[in-house]
Amino acid sequence: MLKPLADRVIIELVEQEEKTASGIVLPDSAKEKPQEGKVVAVGSGRVLDSGEKITPEVAEGDKIVFSKFAGTEVKYEGNEYLILRESDILAVIG
Amino acid sequence: MLKPLADRVIIELVEQEEKTASGIVLPDSAKEKPQEGKVVAVGSGRVLDSGEKITPEVAEGDKIVFSKFAGTEVKYEGNEYLILRESDILAVIG
Amino acid sequence: MLKPLADRVIIELVEQEEKTASGIVLPDSAKEKPQEGKVVAVGSGRVLDSGEKITPEVAEGDKIVFSKFAGTEVKYEGNEYLILRESDILAVIG
Amino acid sequence: MLKPLADRVIIELVEQEEKTASGIVLPDSAKEKPQEGKVVAVGSGRVLDSGEKITPEVAEGDKIVFSKFAGTEVKYEGNEYLILRESDILAVIG
Amino acid sequence: MLKPLADRVIIELVEQEEKTASGIVLPDSAKEKPQEGKVVAVGSGRVLDSGEKITPEVAEGDKIVFSKFAGTEVKYEGNEYLILRESDILAVIG
Amino acid sequence: MLKPLADRVIIELVEQEEKTASGIVLPDSAKEKPQEGKVVAVGSGRVLDSGEKITPEVAEGDKIVFSKFAGTEVKYEGNEYLILRESDILAVIG
Amino acid sequence: MLKPLADRVIIELVEQEEKTASGIVLPDSAKEKPQEGKVVAVGSGRVLDSGEKITPEVAEGDKIVFSKFAGTEVKYEGNEYLILRESDILAVIG
């Protein structure tokens, strides 16, 4: 398995079909568009200047909305993932 | 429902008709123009370098003025929202 | 009323006529020119990394000089205001 | 009177004639050239991230050398002033 | 041997053949592509503003995914290595 | 006399003749070239975010090597000086 | 002798011949290339915002690998040196 470092989070993209099911539809506009994904792994968190480590607010299994142009693609054991920083995640779909 | 992360806030845009009602009218000028919205969800706040979490100053239901070009549009269960950072909010209409 | 967030301050512009009365006249030069205004509302202050909130140095009613190109215009209940950050205020006219 | 905010300092420019008297002459070179002024008002100081307020090192009446392109001009009650940040002041002429 | 300083990490590139074995395949897209490597040496960690030293999350022998354009190449005793900062490492392959 | 503020240092340039005597010769290359000077006045030091003031490492009379394009020239009582920040000083010639 | 300030380090370049001896050979590629040197003097270290001074990790006599385009050249008593910041040093050859 891939274990993300620091404040990184690994997600699977949610396909266009699921996207309709969960209710996220992207409006057709010139603004920055978010994308939907599912969290598959979460790093241990970023370290503050005070030395404190901040546990990410998202957890494995969470469905999230994130900035469309964020992250790095990776294919692992035949599946495609995206490695994001937690700060690229806009909201959890609860 | 969408639950925003950190210092993010989800708002509904206030329509042009309501805008007149609540009293905000945008002057016609070359300066950056604000827009009016209603807060529908508030993140748990940003974490300072000291480790302290700062609760946002706005709450669900607040009517706000925000920077026009800020935020990310999202459509969820048929409604359109905008996800902002709290720092993009200029004032609360009280 | 409009309640500014954080270190924001809402001001009314002081008209050219009043400007002469209070003694501020803008010299004709290529340098950045300040403008005069009157504070109508003050945010609760910015939060430092230490978690401490810093009360703004200006108060409602203060006449101020601010950077000409700073701020966001807004019209509210028929009046025009400018929303500034406290750091855009150069001096108080005392 | 004008009361500067935070780490701002208000100065009067020292005329070319006085400049010779106090001994500052600007060499003719391509480097950034300083200018001479006299402090007429000093802000209460900048606030550090620790919350501590740092009293400026200059005081009313000090003659100073400052970066030529720094500051904002203002005319008040018929006199011309320049509003600088303390960090634009290079040295005190003692 | 090469001993990296601060938050630097020295890695060997994992050849294309091994890459298939461990399961990382790079998708053909316009996004930033990661690369796979094996950690051969780890610095003692970066020092926070608080004076605390943060031990890197990776250890000698870890297989990692890192940003493709990161790092400095070096050849030492006939072998080629790459010197990265720990923040260029996206995930550990566990 | 000129009294530099904060972490500023005032130096006299060391003439080309003296430069040979003290042993500094500038190589003819495309890299940034340092220059030699003698410290004539030292500011009280920069203030850290913690509020602590850091006494400069150089003292009056020190001969130093500094970045060639750093600083602001000033002529005072017939002499030419350069006002630098301590961070522009590379080394002391001891 | 030259005594570097703060987190600066003075090195002698290691000649191409020695480079082969110690085992560093620069690969022929488009990536940033490191260079080899020997530490001849080390500053007392950089000061953190907390006021703590961090002793450099390198010591006089260490052979190091550093970023090729870093530093300032200086010739002193007939010898050529390079003044680097400690952060430009990638690894110690141990």
Side-chain angles (χ1 to χ4, degrees):
Chain A
M1 192 44 217
L2 292 174
K3 200 167 67 85
L5 291 199
D7 59 337
R8 287 192 182 82
V9 171
I10 302 181
I11 64 164
E12 294 177 331
L13 284 183
V14 172
E15 302 294 327
Q16 201 64 36
E17 292 76 48
E18 290 186 42
K19 208 172 285 173
T20 310
S22 72
I24 291 285
V25 181
L26 300 177
D28 182 26
S29 101
K31 284 227 178 177
E32 181 199 347
K33 289 174 190 171
Q35 215 165 350
E36 192 177 337
K38 195 171 124 194
V39 175
V40 297
V42 177
S44 61
R46 74 184 164 102
V47 176
L48 301 178
D49 269 352
S50 61
E52 200 179 330
K53 185 171 268 196
I54 299 302
T55 308
E57 285 190 69
V58 295
E60 214 186 298
D62 280 355
K63 290 187 110 177
I64 61 158
V65 182
F66 64 94
S67 300
K68 191 175 189 177
F69 300 108
T72 305
E73 295 177 358
V74 65
K75 203 181 243 187
Y76 179 71
E77 294 179 349
N79 300 311
E80 281 183 29
Y81 299 102
L82 203 59
I83 304 181
L84 302 172
R85 289 190 171 272
E86 195 200 1
S87 59
D88 295 319
I89 302 180
L90 302 169
V92 171
I93 305 170
Chain B
M1 192 44 216
L2 292 174
K3 199 167 68 84
L5 291 199
D7 59 337
R8 287 192 182 83
V9 172
I10 303 181
I11 64 164
E12 293 178 330
L13 284 183
V14 172
E15 302 294 330
Q16 201 64 36
E17 293 76 48
E18 291 186 41
K19 207 171 287 171
T20 311
S22 72
I24 292 284
V25 180
L26 301 178
D28 182 27
S29 101
K31 284 226 177 177
E32 181 198 348
K33 288 174 189 170
Q35 215 165 351
E36 191 177 338
K38 194 171 124 194
V39 175
V40 297
V42 177
S44 61
R46 76 184 163 101
V47 176
L48 301 179
D49 269 353
S50 61
E52 200 179 329
K53 185 170 268 194
I54 299 302
T55 309
E57 285 190 69
V58 295
E60 215 186 298
D62 280 355
K63 290 187 112 176
I64 61 158
V65 182
F66 64 94
S67 299
K68 191 174 189 177
F69 300 108
T72 305
E73 294 176 358
V74 66
K75 203 181 242 188
Y76 179 72
E77 294 179 349
N79 300 312
E80 280 184 28
Y81 300 102
L82 204 59
I83 304 181
L84 302 173
R85 290 191 171 272
E86 196 201 2
S87 58
D88 295 319
I89 302 180
L90 302 170
V92 171
I93 305 170
Chain C
M1 192 45 214
L2 292 174
K3 199 167 68 84
L5 291 198
D7 59 337
R8 288 192 181 81
V9 171
I10 301 181
I11 65 164
E12 294 178 331
L13 284 184
V14 172
E15 302 294 330
Q16 200 65 36
E17 292 75 50
E18 291 186 43
K19 209 172 287 172
T20 311
S22 72
I24 291 285
V25 179
L26 300 177
D28 183 26
S29 101
K31 283 226 180 179
E32 181 198 349
K33 288 175 190 169
Q35 215 165 350
E36 191 177 338
K38 194 172 126 195
V39 175
V40 297
V42 177
S44 61
R46 76 185 163 101
V47 177
L48 301 179
D49 270 353
S50 61
E52 199 179 330
K53 185 170 268 195
I54 299 302
T55 308
E57 284 191 70
V58 295
E60 216 186 297
D62 280 355
K63 290 187 112 176
I64 61 158
V65 181
F66 64 94
S67 299
K68 192 173 188 176
F69 300 108
T72 305
E73 294 177 357
V74 65
K75 203 182 242 188
Y76 179 72
E77 295 180 349
N79 301 311
E80 280 183 30
Y81 300 102
L82 204 59
I83 304 181
L84 302 173
R85 290 192 170 271
E86 195 200 3
S87 58
D88 295 320
I89 302 179
L90 302 170
V92 171
I93 304 170
Chain D
M1 191 45 214
L2 292 174
K3 197 167 69 84
L5 291 199
D7 59 337
R8 287 192 182 82
V9 171
I10 302 181
I11 65 164
E12 294 177 331
L13 285 183
V14 172
E15 302 295 328
Q16 201 65 36
E17 293 75 49
E18 291 186 42
K19 208 172 287 173
T20 310
S22 71
I24 291 285
V25 179
L26 300 178
D28 183 24
S29 100
K31 285 225 179 179
E32 181 198 347
K33 289 175 190 168
Q35 215 166 350
E36 191 178 337
K38 193 171 126 195
V39 175
V40 297
V42 177
S44 60
R46 75 184 165 102
V47 177
L48 300 179
D49 270 353
S50 62
E52 198 178 330
K53 185 169 268 196
I54 299 302
T55 308
E57 284 191 70
V58 295
E60 216 185 296
D62 280 355
K63 289 187 113 177
I64 61 159
V65 182
F66 64 94
S67 300
K68 192 174 189 177
F69 300 108
T72 304
E73 294 177 358
V74 65
K75 203 181 242 187
Y76 179 72
E77 295 179 348
N79 300 310
E80 280 183 30
Y81 300 102
L82 204 59
I83 305 180
L84 302 172
R85 291 191 170 272
E86 196 199 2
S87 58
D88 295 320
I89 302 179
L90 301 170
V92 171
I93 304 169
Chain E
M1 192 45 215
L2 291 175
K3 200 168 66 85
L5 290 199
D7 58 337
R8 288 193 182 80
V9 171
I10 302 181
I11 64 164
E12 294 177 330
L13 284 183
V14 172
E15 302 294 328
Q16 201 65 36
E17 292 75 50
E18 291 187 42
K19 208 172 283 173
T20 309
S22 71
I24 291 284
V25 180
L26 299 178
D28 183 26
S29 101
K31 283 226 177 176
E32 181 199 347
K33 289 175 191 170
Q35 214 164 350
E36 192 177 337
K38 195 171 125 194
V39 175
V40 297
V42 177
S44 61
R46 73 182 166 103
V47 176
L48 300 178
D49 270 352
S50 61
E52 199 179 330
K53 185 170 268 197
I54 299 301
T55 309
E57 285 190 70
V58 295
E60 214 186 298
D62 280 354
K63 290 187 111 177
I64 61 158
V65 182
F66 64 94
S67 299
K68 192 175 188 176
F69 300 109
T72 305
E73 295 176 357
V74 65
K75 203 180 244 185
Y76 179 71
E77 294 179 349
N79 300 312
E80 281 183 28
Y81 300 102
L82 204 59
I83 304 181
L84 302 172
R85 290 190 170 271
E86 196 199 2
S87 58
D88 295 320
I89 302 180
L90 302 170
V92 171
I93 304 170
Chain F
M1 191 45 215
L2 292 174
K3 198 168 68 84
L5 291 199
D7 59 337
R8 287 191 182 83
V9 172
I10 302 181
I11 65 165
E12 295 177 329
L13 284 184
V14 172
E15 303 295 328
Q16 200 65 35
E17 292 76 50
E18 291 186 43
K19 209 173 286 174
T20 310
S22 71
I24 292 285
V25 180
L26 300 177
D28 183 25
S29 100
K31 286 227 178 176
E32 182 198 346
K33 289 175 189 168
Q35 215 166 349
E36 192 177 337
K38 193 171 126 195
V39 175
V40 297
V42 178
S44 61
R46 74 184 165 103
V47 177
L48 300 179
D49 270 352
S50 62
E52 199 179 329
K53 185 170 268 195
I54 298 301
T55 309
E57 285 190 70
V58 294
E60 215 185 297
D62 280 355
K63 289 187 112 177
I64 61 158
V65 182
F66 64 94
S67 301
K68 192 175 187 176
F69 300 109
T72 304
E73 294 176 358
V74 66
K75 203 181 242 186
Y76 179 71
E77 295 179 348
N79 300 312
E80 280 183 30
Y81 301 101
L82 204 60
I83 304 181
L84 302 173
R85 291 191 170 272
E86 196 200 2
S87 58
D88 295 320
I89 302 179
L90 301 169
V92 171
I93 304 170
Chain G
M1 191 45 214
L2 291 174
K3 199 168 66 85
L5 290 199
D7 58 337
R8 287 192 182 82
V9 171
I10 302 182
I11 64 165
E12 294 177 331
L13 284 183
V14 172
E15 302 295 329
Q16 200 65 35
E17 293 75 50
E18 291 186 42
K19 209 173 284 174
T20 310
S22 70
I24 292 285
V25 180
L26 300 177
D28 183 26
S29 101
K31 284 227 176 176
E32 181 198 346
K33 289 175 190 168
Q35 215 165 349
E36 191 177 338
K38 194 171 125 194
V39 175
V40 297
V42 178
S44 61
R46 74 183 165 104
V47 176
L48 300 179
D49 270 352
S50 62
E52 198 179 331
K53 185 170 267 196
I54 299 302
T55 309
E57 285 190 71
V58 294
E60 214 186 296
D62 281 354
K63 290 186 112 177
I64 61 159
V65 183
F66 64 94
S67 300
K68 192 174 187 176
F69 300 109
T72 305
E73 294 176 358
V74 66
K75 203 181 244 185
Y76 179 71
E77 295 178 349
N79 300 311
E80 281 184 29
Y81 300 102
L82 204 59
I83 304 181
L84 301 172
R85 290 190 171 271
E86 196 199 2
S87 58
D88 294 320
I89 302 179
L90 302 170
V92 172
I93 304 170

